[in-house]
Amino acid sequence: MKLILIGFGAVGQGFAEILLEHGDALQARHDFSAHIVGVVTASKGNLYHPAGLDIAQLLRTAETGSFSDYPESEPLRRDWDANDMILRGSADVLLEASPTNLETAQPALATCHLALDQGLHIVLANKGPVALDYGCLREKADAKGLHMRYEATVMAGTPTMHLAEDALAGCAIRSARGILNGTTNYILTQMETGMTYADALAQAQDLGYAETDPTADVEGWDAAGKVLILANALFGNSLTMNDLDVQGITDISSEDIDRARQSGHRYKLIAEARPDGGAVSPQQLPMSDPLASVGGSTNAITLDTDLLGKITLIGAGAGKLETGYALLSDLMAIQRAT
């Protein structure tokens, strides 16, 4: 597979490290081979080589913050942007791993549509296009006989979408309900130890779980984007953010946490997708609920099915290698299907 990679931050570099360290084993065990022919970034520069870029060199130069030290080799192009690579280059799959925009999904959305128009499969870690334009992207991909996969957009490499769409294909899923934001789960877990919300948030920021501006996490918008993906992908909805009731954890106090514990409950920020809609809200869960025992930055989701009942999946919802692995798993799924 020849790949164009949009974005080379933690996710893109995690994926590249996996190819570098496990490429031979993937070839031997699964007959899987991939070459990154193009990389597009907002800050490091762009690179394109039809024979594939040297991954070790790519990672080394990325550490300096710029691709300017990547060695010259004909016919390397540094002046091509994403559109040039899609229109003038040679690739099989577009990997979208640039920062998420949940307001317009741009510029990633336009890039994904162009890739499909040109016959490339698309694999996304960027939530924006899937959350805001799932229906149109899916319709276009299906019409062209192309694959659109997005495992990384919900729980990183923990195989949420594979479980729901592939492994449970014979079941009807009645709802998807889970802890889909590690930052808020970490904060609520720390508040149970006696920390205030402010102290728990500060610690989450120090550990890198929360951004300097944590609004998207603590007010529920990151989880809401994942609800849109689940609702629209699993139930054929066409929901937008305006259709969701979204509440975060900023109003949860230490006293609220204590009262819940005394009554045998635990606060969790729960994201839920159903055939009739979706929501994000802090809820008091009984200790018997599998989601109540999920602590720290871990994510979890419970799929309620008609044939197997409730199935709960627990795992990492973020991380460099974990999310990079999600891109790999989607690529391998495309290989198996083509």
Side-chain angles (χ1 to χ4, degrees):
M1 287 184 176
K2 292 185 176 183
L3 315 174
I4 296 171
L5 178 56
I6 311 297
F8 203 64
V11 176
Q13 291 178 44
F15 172 69
E17 288 177 10
I18 291 170
L19 288 187
L20 181 64
E21 296 176 16
H22 301 278
D24 291 343
L26 290 167
Q27 175 74 58
R29 294 171 57 191
H30 303 286
D31 195 27
F32 176 84
S33 178
H35 302 281
I36 300 174
V37 297
V39 178
V40 177
T41 75
S43 60
K44 297 178 179 68
N46 303 340
L47 296 170
Y48 176 85
H49 197 295
L53 298 165
D54 184 305
I55 295 177
Q57 290 280 8
L58 195 63
L59 288 166
R60 278 195 291 271
T61 55
E63 289 179 359
T64 69
S66 172
F67 291 149
S68 59
D69 292 333
Y70 187 90
E72 290 291 340
S73 61
E74 290 295 333
L76 181 72
R77 301 299 301 255
R78 300 178 186 271
D79 58 333
W80 281 10
D81 62 13
N83 289 359
D84 290 324
M85 293 183 195
I86 293 168
L87 293 171
R88 303 165 64 185
S90 174
D92 304 303
V93 186
L94 177 81
L95 303 181
E96 226 312 330
S98 64
T100 291
N101 175 348
L102 284 174
E103 294 182 0
T104 66
Q106 299 294 358
L109 180 56
T111 304
C112 288
H113 274 289
L114 180 63
L116 291 172
D117 288 337
Q118 295 302 120
L120 278 69
H121 306 292
I122 59 174
V123 170
L124 297 102
N126 185 331
K127 293 184 287 294
V130 194
L132 303 189
D133 199 36
Y134 174 85
C136 290
L137 289 170
R138 171 59 68 198
E139 183 179 2
K140 182 176 287 188
D142 290 348
K144 291 181 169 290
L146 298 169
H147 293 273
M148 176 179 76
R149 298 191 68 93
Y150 39 90
E151 184 64 74
T153 63
V154 179
M155 279 174 56
T158 303
T160 311
M161 301 312 302
H162 173 76
L163 175 64
E165 297 181 315
D166 300 329
L168 296 178
C171 293
I173 297 176
R174 296 182 287 218
S175 69
R177 171 178 168 270
I179 299 166
L180 301 182
N181 182 270
T183 300
T184 52
N185 202 45
Y186 181 83
I187 291 171
L188 291 173
T189 300
Q190 294 306 99
M191 288 177 70
E192 284 194 47
T193 69
M195 276 193 180
T196 64
Y197 169 82
D199 288 343
L201 172 58
Q203 187 176 82
Q205 290 171 321
D206 289 342
L207 292 170
Y209 297 146
E211 301 291 340
T212 303
D213 179 0
T215 302
D217 291 325
V218 299
E219 293 189 359
W221 298 111
D222 174 72
K226 297 171 183 180
V227 168
L228 289 182
I229 293 168
L230 291 165
N232 295 338
L234 300 184
F235 305 123
N237 291 330
S238 299
L239 301 180
T240 69
M241 284 291 187
N242 291 331
D243 298 312
L244 304 181
D245 180 12
V246 180
Q247 302 174 52
I249 65 166
T250 54
D251 291 332
I252 303 297
S253 67
S254 299
E255 291 74 20
D256 294 326
I257 298 288
D258 286 339
R259 281 193 292 269
R261 183 172 55 219
Q262 291 168 12
S263 65
H265 291 73
R266 178 172 282 156
Y267 266 104
K268 296 294 179 184
L269 185 69
I270 298 299
E272 184 171 11
R274 308 177 304 273
D276 62 346
V280 177
S281 64
Q283 297 180 18
Q284 295 185 48
L285 303 184
M287 294 300 185
S288 57
D289 189 318
L291 298 179
S293 64
V294 178
S297 62
T298 303
N299 282 194
I301 191 167
T302 297
L303 302 174
D304 186 8
T305 74
D306 60 340
L307 300 179
L308 298 176
K310 294 181 179 179
I311 299 173
T312 298
L313 181 66
I314 301 172
K320 182 179 183 180
L321 292 178
E322 293 86 345
T323 312
Y325 169 75
L327 300 180
L328 173 65
S329 69
D330 279 346
L331 290 171
M332 294 179 71
I334 291 173
Q335 176 184 267
R336 290 192 295 269
T338 54

